[in-house]
Every structure is written in structure tokens, then in C-alpha cells.
Amino acid sequence: MTARTMDDHALTLTGVLTRAERLHGRREIVARAPDGEVHRTTYAAVLGRSRRLANALTGLGVAGGDRVATLLWNQPEHLECQFAVTGMGGVIHPLDPRFDAEELAFIVEQAGDKVLVVDETLLGRAAPLLGRVEHVVVVGHVSDGGDGPAATIAYEELVAGAEPIEWPQLSERQPAALAYTSGTTGRPKGVVHSHRALVLHSLTAALPDALGISAGDGVLPIVPMFHANAWGLPFACAMAGAALVLPGMRLDAVSLLDLLDVERVTMTAGAPEVGRALLAAVDAEPRRWDLSALRRMVIGGASVPAALVDGLDRHGVEVLQAWGMTELAPLGTACHLPHDLADAPDAQRTAFRVRQGRPLPLVEIRAHDESGAEIAWDDCAVGELQVRGPWVASGYEGGDVHEHHTADGWFRTGDVVAIDEHGCIRLCDRSRDLIRTGGEWISSVDLETTLMAHPAVAEAAVIAAPDERWGERPLAVVVCAGGAETDADTLRAHLGREFAAWQVPDRVTFLDAIPRSANGKSNKAALRQLMMIGAPT
Ligand code: ADP
């Protein structure tokens, strides 16, 4: 007799959507429009409209597996597109408007997007894409000829003119979303996320020791939906029934802080740059905003300096650092203090919290040295971080399957890390940004973090400059904090207190701004060009 086990029920997002509409229908979705007005709607209304939109998209010829691209902000229509396209069995493909025209055209061409849904404020960015998709749907005002693209359809008319469908039965393995890496280390690469991956990712993200999202939360994702699906927050919030507060296109610190205050937001999420801007604004006017409801800001995408952790702590906001990659849908780790460090002195706790975190349930991590041998967790040695789990990509769009995998099936992240005895990763660098000098290497991230701890420094980036004798030497590029002045010798002396003399950059150059990639990371390729240095070998 064969033993009977559980029902082999498919893990599809339609289950999340149906439950959110029925159970959390009255939970609010609050959104700021481009004119600054705040509009209020609900999960029931957004999901009802999503089911209409799904029907309308079918009418436009979108079938199972077809890709629908979006050029939208964090706005209700973007949620509707995410819900409609995944729910109907299509593949949602948010495009990052910060990519240049050539990159956008390459991505849409490679993805084979059938329909583009674009906000009227982003129509300019859509220009190179208009001939590449079958239909263009515009949220907002559709120009009636003349300057406007020919075959555009008004989003509102499309939704209003269709009856709501019931979600079809889908397979958990089928693709649901397509996201491109931001191209920090080369041409953007496309990653397809399956229903199963996104369901498990949402479930795990909501856990208390992951991001911690419950029905009582109000969540403001500053990280855009066009960047790694806003770190999975829309689906995780829909699953948990958390209210969503969407900032639209107004991403300046004052507009964000106004929303965080008035809407009594409990959790927000964004890049370190955004965290720094929020902190500078509340430091400048500590009494202007009431942030007593805000308990946590999730920060990731780039390393989080201690000054940011301590600074937001001073205003009662806990920083939770997370590490992830587009290839992981995107969350891999979250940095909660282990239980045995709960009573440790403040300095030790902060030192832990600037690490990238411990793996989320279902994600496995390991570090390998250059010979391919695994490094023990409590060994302080650094190596390449490798991961595996149910939301780790198995290959890239248009690329060889497994091209970035080890022979035993682990994904090679290209991040260089040490893993401590708690299983917490400390990211030293991306492998191509390490500075190899005289047979040793220097972490550009460590130098940048220490430079940014100097009060006169707002931003810092360290790159490798070719050197005849040593192979490479570090070159620091610094942006001074507003009103502050410093010089290369002062900063070199500051670094000399923490680094050996051979690790301290020979040159420190001052710039007004550091070039950034689409998602705000320092763009070291552009910086090398600016400094007239070729690509590292
Ligand atoms: P891209 O690879 O084009 O930058 P991603 O957004 O997928 O696009 O970036 C993932 C990378 O971002 C990681 O491999 C890592 O190098 C970096 N990263 C993510 N989170 C952190 C973090 N908390 N600290 C430092 N680096 C991070």
C-alpha cells in the first residue's frame, strides 16, 4: 500500500490574490498622484480592476506566457498590472525608466514584450520602445494624435470596458515575472521568476525574522517595483494583508517623510542612499515629522554604513539590512541580531548590524575559496558567496542555463564574503571590484565604508587603478558633505588608522557627484572611464 501524503496543491500567486481580495479587501492602498494629491483605494477595488484588466489584456491578444512590460512608478496601476498579468498566466516585466534608450530597447527586444503599459509622465522614456511592442497602453492622458504615438490605448478605458474574469488554474512552475539586473557589472541580464518562487518568497519575506510583515502593518515601498519587484513587497503585503502606501513619482525626502508621518507607516524599504536622505532631513528638522509609528526601515542593495544604522536608531527607526540579488527574486538574507547578542554592548550590536545578514529560511549559503574548497563558517577567510534555494534563478534570459552555477548546482553570486560563526555574511566586495595589489587584495567596500565614516565625506567610491609595480592600486573618489572641506592627506591619515599603509589609496580625488547605475549604486565602470582608467582585467 502506498502511503498517502498531502495534497499536491500548486503554489501559484492566484491563491494569494484571491485570498487578498476576500480576506483583506477593505485594507487600504494609499497612493500619491503626480500632482501631490493622495488617493485612497482598497485591495478589493485594485484586485477587482486587475481582473478586468486581465480580461482586457486577453482581448489585446495576451495569452499564457506572454510578456507585458510596464514603465510605471509605485502606483496603484502598477499593482493592478502585476496582479492582472501574473494572475492570468502572463509574465509581468517592469522596466526601469532610469535605463538609457539603447538599454531599454535591447531589453524589450530580448524579452519580446507584447504590450507596454506606461505612465503619461514616462512617455518620453517609452519613445524608443513604441515600434517594438504590439500595443501601448497609457495611464493618464492619451494625446489624440500629432505628437503622440499612433496606436495608444487609454488604460482607464481598457479597464472600464472589460468584465472581471476569475483567475485561471495555473501551474506553479510557470513563469510569472521577468526582471533585469541593473547592469552594475555589465549588460543587464534577465531573470524569470516562477509562481512557486514568488509564493515561497512572499511567505518567507513576511516572517518575523525576515522582513516581518503582518496585517497590522502599513508598508511604504520606496524601492521601486521596477527594481526586483520592490523587493517582493507588493506580493508579500497582499499575502499578509498589510496596507500599502505608494509614493508615486515623488521620491524626495520631504514628500516621503510627509507620507510616512501622515499615513502612520510602520515599515519602509529603500537603498542606503534613500536612507541617508531621510536621515539628513529628520536630523535637520527633528520636530517636523512624527515618525512614532515607523518601527523599521529595510535597507539593501548596497552596504549600509554604521552612521546610518545609529542615525535612524536615534529617531526610533530600526534599520534592518537585507542582502539580495535580482537572481534571487530578490531576498537572500536579513540581518537580525542573533538571540545571544541581544544584550551585547551597543558597539558590538552595530558592528553586527552592518553585516548583510543570515540566510532566510529555504535559502542555503556557502563560501568557496579560489581553489573551489568550502570555507568553514567560523573561519574568517573570505571567498565567493554561493547560494541555492527555491527562489534562486537557474539561468538567464537568452543565456546558457547554469552558466553561473557550480557543477553541483549552486548559484555563484560574484560577491566576496566572509561568513561568521552565526552564519551571517559580511560582504567584502563584488569580485570584479576587489583591488588586487602585489599578490594581496583590498576590499573597496571596506575603504568606502571607512571614508564615509569621516564627517566631511558624503559619498565615496574606491576603484582599482593599474600600476606597473603592484598590478593595481586603490584610487578613492570622494564627494564632500555639504559645506564641509577636507583634503587628500587628511583622508589618507583617517584611513591609516584602520588600514595597513599598503592598503591606503595613493590618490584621493574629489568630485561633485559619483556616477550611479540605474538603481543608485556607484557605477564603477563609468567612474573608471571618468578617471580615464580601463576596465579591470
Ligand atoms: P546588479 O547586479 O546589476 O547591481 P542587483 O540589484 O541584482 O543588480 O544587485 C545585486 C548585488 O547588489 C549583489 O550581488 C551585491 O553585490 C549588492 N548588494 C545587495 N544587497 C547588498 C547589501 N546589503 N550590502 C552590500 N551589497 C549588496
Side-chain angles (χ1 to χ4, degrees):
M1 203 171 76
T2 35
R4 297 190 70 87
T5 56
M6 302 305 180
D7 188 358
D8 192 18
H9 193 73
L11 300 175
T12 59
L13 290 167
T14 48
V16 178
L17 302 181
T18 304
R19 185 170 185 275
E21 192 171 353
R22 291 214 184 118
L23 241 73
H24 309 304
R26 290 202 296 275
R27 282 301 268 154
E28 268 193 316
I29 293 170
V30 178
R32 172 165 270 157
D35 63 4
E37 285 282 306
V38 171
H39 298 274
R40 317 188 88 80
T41 178
T42 61
Y43 274 104
V46 162
L47 279 155
R49 283 167 54 87
S50 303
R51 292 191 291 114
R52 289 177 187 275
L53 175 62
N55 198 358
L57 287 172
T58 308
L60 292 183
V62 176
D66 281 346
R67 278 105 188 255
V68 174
T70 54
L71 261 177
L72 297 168
W73 307 103
N74 285 7
Q75 61 194 82
E77 292 84 359
H78 211 170
L79 276 185
E80 289 167 6
C81 288
Q82 292 226 351
F83 294 161
V85 176
T86 56
M88 69 189 285
V91 181
I92 185 75
H93 177 202
L95 295 170
D96 190 335
R98 299 167 301 186
F99 280 133
D100 64 32
E102 192 259 331
E103 277 171 330
L104 279 174
F106 160 78
I107 289 172
V108 167
E109 198 69 48
Q110 189 186 60
D113 296 316
K114 206 157 185 178
V115 174
L116 170 69
V117 184
V118 52
D119 190 73
E120 59 175 337
T121 58
L122 291 167
L123 265 173
R125 308 297 302 142
L129 312 178
L130 300 181
R132 294 174 199 268
V133 291
E134 287 175 23
H135 300 280
V136 178
V137 179
V138 180
V139 176
H141 178 71
V142 181
S143 130
D144 37 74
D147 54 343
T152 52
I153 306 164
Y155 182 86
E156 278 310 315
E157 277 173 33
L158 199 64
V159 173
E163 289 301 313
I165 58 157
E166 294 303 318
W167 301 124
Q169 249 189 352
L170 304 174
S171 133
E172 65 174 26
R173 306 270 167 188
Q174 77 183 68
L178 172 61
Y180 274 74
T181 64
S182 64
T184 309
T185 58
R187 212 157 191 161
K189 295 194 282 286
V191 181
V192 179
H193 303 138
S194 67
H195 276 264
R196 181 171 188 270
L198 295 183
V199 167
L200 291 172
H201 184 273
S202 308
L203 196 59
T204 310
L207 289 174
D209 286 334
L211 305 193
I213 304 169
S214 80
D217 278 307
V219 177
L220 191 161
I222 305 172
V223 50
M225 289 185 212
F226 53 71
H227 182 58
N229 272 331
W231 299 346
L233 285 168
F235 286 114
C237 288
M239 185 180 265
L244 271 166
V245 181
L246 303 174
M249 64 187 291
R250 295 193 171 215
L251 296 169
D252 60 288
V254 167
S255 303
L256 291 170
L257 285 160
D258 286 348
L259 272 183
L260 291 169
D261 170 355
V262 174
E263 298 301 331
R264 307 298 294 153
V265 169
T266 59
M267 192 180 106
T268 186
E273 241 189 304
V274 180
R276 268 200 292 272
L278 296 181
L279 176 60
V282 285
D283 273 348
E285 295 180 273
R287 268 189 259 283
R288 178 161 170 190
W289 295 281
D290 173 5
L291 299 181
S292 55
L294 185 62
R295 59 183 171 83
R296 171 174 292 170
M297 176 163 188
V298 182
I299 305 188
S303 51
V304 181
L308 185 53
V309 173
D310 289 340
L312 284 174
D313 259 358
R314 276 201 311 278
H315 295 280
V317 181
E318 177 212 25
V319 169
L320 174 66
Q321 176 160 196
W323 167 91
M325 300 182 78
T326 307
E327 290 87 337
L328 273 82
L331 296 171
T333 68
C335 193
H336 288 278
L337 273 186
H339 192 63
D340 45 350
L341 289 183
D343 298 321
D346 282 353
Q348 196 182 340
R349 291 155 54 99
T350 304
F352 190 90
R353 288 171 60 199
V354 297
R355 297 181 186 178
Q356 277 65 28
R358 303 203 287 171
L360 300 183
L362 308 180
V363 174
E364 292 175 68
I365 59 168
R366 70 182 186 190
H368 270 202
D369 67 17
E370 273 172 344
S371 75
E374 184 166 352
I375 302 169
W377 276 13
D378 48 2
D379 185 337
C380 291
V382 298
E384 183 190 43
L385 177 66
Q386 301 178 354
V387 294
R388 67 175 182 188
W391 54 87
V392 178
S394 59
Y396 291 108
E397 183 76 359
D400 290 341
V401 178
H402 303 317
E403 65 185 316
H404 285 258
H405 288 73
T406 61
D408 59 347
W410 291 64
F411 173 69
R412 304 182 55 175
T413 65
D415 283 346
V416 179
V417 301
I419 304 180
D420 71 15
E421 71 276 21
H422 300 283
C424 183
I425 62 172
R426 186 175 68 79
L427 193 139
C428 304
D429 225 327
R430 301 188 100 167
S431 56
R432 64 163 53 202
D433 291 338
L434 279 176
I435 297 139
R436 290 152 177 99
T437 189
E440 300 287 337
W441 58 264
I442 310 172
S443 154
S444 66
V445 172
D446 287 352
L447 287 170
E448 288 159 5
T449 309
T450 308
L451 278 169
M452 284 191 277
H454 190 281
V457 176
E459 297 171 53
V462 177
I463 52 175
D467 183 274
E468 271 187 21
R469 178 154 180 218
W470 302 110
E472 288 177 353
R473 291 293 303 148
L475 161 65
V477 181
V478 166
V479 178
C480 283
E485 273 185 30
T486 185
D487 55 40
D489 286 343
T490 309
L491 294 181
R492 283 168 35 77
H494 167 76
L495 289 172
R497 284 194 274 280
E498 278 194 34
F499 292 88
W502 63 269
Q503 293 175 313
V504 174
D506 309 315
R507 282 168 59 203
V508 179
T509 301
F510 293 86
L511 287 184
D512 290 337
I514 286 180
R516 301 214 168 259
S517 68
N519 58 12
K521 298 181 199 200
S522 50
N523 182 339
K524 296 198 172 175
L527 200 54
R528 276 186 204 102
Q529 253 177 8
L530 202 66
M531 297 286 126
M532 290 183 293
I533 296 171
T537 46

